Amino acid sequence: SLFLLSAMPSPQRVDVLIVGGGVGGICSAIKLQQAGFSVLIVEKGAGFGGTWRWNTYPGCGCDVVSMNYHFSFEPKFDWKQKFAKQPEILEYFEAVGKKYGLYDCAQFNTEVVSCSFNSGSKIWTSELKQGGSTRTVQASAVIAATGLLHNPTWPSIEGLESFKGVRFHANQWDHNVDLEGKRVAVIGSGATATQFVPHLAEKASQLTVCQRTPNYYMCGPDAENVVTPAWQKWLYTTFPLLGKLQRLSGFLVGELLLKCFGTKLLRRFVLHRLSEIVKDRDLRRKLTPDYPIGFKRVLIGESN
């Protein structure tokens, strides 16, 4: 008779386990490695990018000026547009991950099933699942960088489950569905809807937007699609210090305007723009918030 004794594989040991390969996970990993710590990034998706990988709806982009939307230690001054779109943002974070060697310490298509802390050894033991297999990782610290914008939340609406038509969440946009000439209802009027509704309006035969709470809306002629001039790209990439000063001024101007003039003047300006764009008085009333500006995020997009 032959007896084989197979020992259980020893758990992988790292200083820090980072759950999530989005913006927060990438930044944490880079800074921890530079400080001399070993890290393991666990990401349930197929690569880095976080929300910029999960969200692919039409018009998906950032409503923060591109010049301000990058890591301070890895600036990018040649964004294609004033408000960058999802493909370019995803490309940026993937490039950052590659430059700093994060692909060597990342595990994709993997979920963290459980985490338990041993108060005696001061060690976290985490169970990871990839496909049908599981393995164990031990770490001195665990950072949750899971984000908030990739798990769809469906509203509790009577009849939603029995609806016979096509339905999907904007976070899981079904690009196989042709909405040309269709009657479409959108539930929600926040930042995501602000970006994809103008695209739906060009296709749908009838478009209904269901709004719970109105938002303050900073808009102008095709505001979100302003292209970055070639001279500006050249100037800031050739002289990075100017780009950093421009980035800093963007923050300071915003802070100083609010400190000096307060939110009342900004509210007056935003509502004046609303009156110029929306002529129907009843519709304008429905679109006017009854709370001070800044209590919720101010939306940015097209004026049409």
Side-chain angles (χ1 to χ4, degrees), residues 83-102:
F83 295 95
K85 298 301 184 183
Q86 176 265 340
E88 188 179 14
I89 299 173
L90 177 59
E91 182 180 298
Y92 166 75
F93 287 116
E94 289 178 329
V96 171
K98 183 177 181 180
K99 178 178 179 178
Y100 288 87
L102 300 188

Side-chain angles (χ1 to χ4, degrees), residues 1-264:
S1 300
L2 178 64
F3 294 93
L4 297 177
L5 181 62
S6 177
M8 292 292 291
S10 300
Q12 180 182 357
R13 181 67 184 271
V14 294
D15 292 327
V16 183
L17 174 67
I18 301 174
V19 187
V23 181
I26 292 172
C27 185
S28 299
I30 292 172
K31 291 304 178 181
L32 284 168
Q33 285 190 327
Q34 290 176 342
F37 295 96
S38 62
V39 302
L40 173 65
I41 305 170
V42 178
E43 166 59 48
K44 71 177 182 179
F48 289 119
T51 185
W52 300 113
R53 176 171 295 277
W54 295 107
N55 288 278
T56 62
Y57 57 82
C60 182
C62 187
D63 54 7
V64 174
V65 176
S66 302
M67 285 287 290
N68 295 339
Y69 198 77
H70 53 236
F71 293 130
S72 59
F73 56 86
E74 191 60 39
K76 176 178 171 61
F77 298 126
D78 60 347
W79 294 100
K80 296 176 183 178
Q81 296 178 235
K82 184 176 181 180
F83 295 95
K85 298 301 184 183
Q86 176 265 340
E88 188 179 14
I89 299 173
L90 177 59
E91 182 180 298
Y92 166 75
F93 287 116
E94 289 178 329
V96 171
K98 183 177 181 180
K99 178 178 179 178
Y100 288 87
L102 300 188
Y103 283 89
D104 296 332
C105 61
Q107 187 76 52
F108 300 117
N109 299 310
T110 303
E111 293 187 68
V112 177
V113 179
S114 64
C115 286
S116 59
F117 182 70
N118 188 310
S119 57
S121 63
K122 303 293 189 295
I123 294 296
W124 284 93
T125 299
S126 303
E127 183 181 358
L128 311 184
K129 181 180 180 182
Q130 183 182 49
S133 62
T134 60
R135 65 188 183 93
T136 302
V137 173
Q138 292 183 335
S140 300
V142 176
I143 295 179
T146 50
L148 301 171
L149 302 177
H150 66 288
N151 290 319
T153 300
W154 284 93
S156 178
I157 298 177
E158 184 179 352
L160 187 64
E161 296 298 328
S162 59
F163 177 65
K164 301 300 182 181
V166 177
R167 66 180 176 94
F168 54 84
H169 198 283
N171 173 252
Q172 298 173 332
W173 195 274
D174 191 343
H175 293 277
N176 294 319
V177 177
D178 184 9
L179 298 175
E180 189 73 42
K182 300 292 195 303
R183 291 182 299 160
V184 180
V186 176
I187 302 174
S189 60
T192 299
T194 296
Q195 294 182 345
F196 72 73
V197 163
H199 295 269
L200 289 187
E202 296 176 354
K203 293 184 175 183
S205 62
Q206 177 181 323
L207 178 61
T208 302
V209 179
C210 303
Q211 170 189 274
R212 182 187 64 181
T213 307
N215 298 281
Y216 286 103
Y217 201 70
M218 295 283 285
C219 56
D222 205 24
E224 67 173 353
N225 294 315
V226 174
V227 176
T228 305
W231 66 264
Q232 182 175 308
K233 294 181 185 179
W234 176 86
L235 182 65
Y236 292 148
T237 53
T238 306
F239 305 101
L241 180 59
L242 292 179
K244 292 180 180 180
L245 290 174
Q246 171 64 23
R247 184 176 188 265
L248 177 62
S249 68
F251 290 113
L252 293 179
V253 169
E255 291 295 323
L256 289 174
L257 284 176
L258 288 179
K259 291 291 184 182
C260 295
F261 301 105
T263 58
K264 291 184 178 180

